[in-house]
Amino acid sequence: MLTAALVVAGMAATPASAASGPNLKVTVTAQQGRWLSGDTVGLDVTVSNIGDSVAFGAFGTAYSESGTPFWNDRNQWGDLSDGGTGATIAQGETRSIHLTGQLGTFDGDSVVHIEVYGAQDVDYSDNVQRVTLPLARGTEQVAGLLYGDANGDGKPSPGEGLAGAEAHFIGVGTTSDLVAVTDATGHFSFSGLPLSRIAYLSFQKVPGGWVDQSVGAMRLDGRGAYTALEVRAVRPLSDVLHEALTLDKTSYAAGDTGKVTVTLSNSGDQPLTGLFLSCDAGGFGAELTVTDDQWGAFGNQRREGTLAAGQRIVLTAQGKVPAKAAYTGTTGLDCAVNDGHSGGTPYAAAYAKVPGMRADSKGRIWVDKNGNNQPDADEGLANQTVVLVEDGKLARSFAKTDANGFASFKNVPVGSYQLRVFGSWKPAPSYGDLQVAAPPYGSGEWQEQFVAG
Ligand SMILES: [Ca+2]
Ligand SMILES: [Ca+2]
Ligand SMILES: [Ca+2]
């Protein structure tokens, strides 16, 4: 009903002459760029009524005529949205509309059709505009130098290249990260990379404790903007900042109060500021419940700890041993100390026993005969004597594996153990301690891989 009324009103206002009447005109300016799939591109649209009477029922639309799809939300047109009844635009009035659209899967340059319709427009030739959004093509190279800035001048100097580090690249269009190893002069190179709206470069196995600084997100749009990267690495904070952490006892009961001492020292010749402790990062849930305020200026909330060159400081705090610790047999605390920006932060931890409870523990030992990194049906280590060792020396419990490599330890004190096999087998390097916990915290069946010793 409303639409009909507007159209009638428009007709009543339109003079008889063909050259006289509403006349909408659209102009479009597209944001410049080398566009990639997934990019959001802006279009500045102006709609002017250059006729001599009011335009009624005006609405606009924008869509890709060909090439890479361009998706936009019609609500961005405001009252010109084709989901409404149309806008009223007076003679001489100009509207500015900012549209944004997202480019879909690559299909060449995107030709976008922008059209503004108005009832009884006297000249429709200026109601349509087309803009072509150029899509980037080709492949990219990412290359550069990783250097340890030993002389601190912020740029590569002779002899500062870091050899043998792994450069890892990942971006849109790569399914897993690509790896390149830095050569004797610290250089690395990736070529033939797919264009990518967002890509990342990071380093692993950097020699000498050097900490690489973030390259940040890269946009690979074929310009070759990342072919001569200079990736700076700095010394780790742990070169000058040292941390020790101790508990006042080696054994507690649940509900006891444990006292923690953290000693920090600065062996460097510069002051350290903004220091703070981050404790319980592992969050194993049985650690001492130490409140952050006890660390004073070194608390995670305040982050105002300072250490002068050569200074040593001793911080103390205390916290209750939580009930859960009785079930896991272990409590303790772990704290990293950080300045909020440097890499290579020191970390220290101390653990204590919480004896009393006992639990059964069942699992399987296996050898990866077929080399697929998984335990298969025929890979159990049969008829072996296995032992739970405490603190690397005290044998606590023995069991014998069955034909499939399964062993059950009965009524073992809860806690942390090393699992050993009599004979010529040793744990695979990836396996740490075995935790024996009482229900409800028992971790079910374990499995541990062994290799020939
Ligand atoms: Ca027109
Ligand atoms: Ca340098
Ligand atoms: Ca296997």
Side-chain angles (χ1 to χ4, degrees), residues 86-130:
T88 300
I89 301 176
Q91 56 268 48
E93 184 182 349
T94 294
R95 300 283 194 90
S96 295
I97 299 132
H98 184 68
L99 302 179
T100 57
Q102 189 174 31
L103 292 168
T105 304
F106 178 87
D107 188 18
D109 293 347
S110 181
V111 178
V112 181
H113 175 120
I114 301 97
E115 181 168 352
V116 173
Y117 171 85
Q120 298 173 343
D121 193 298
V122 298
D123 172 16
Y124 212 76
S125 67
D126 54 7
N127 287 48
V128 175
Q129 288 281 315
R130 289 177 181 81

Side-chain angles (χ1 to χ4, degrees), residues 147-158 160 232-233:
Y147 71 101
D149 192 14
N151 63 3
D153 65 355
K155 58 191 183 200
S157 306
E160 288 184 342
R232 183 174 183 242

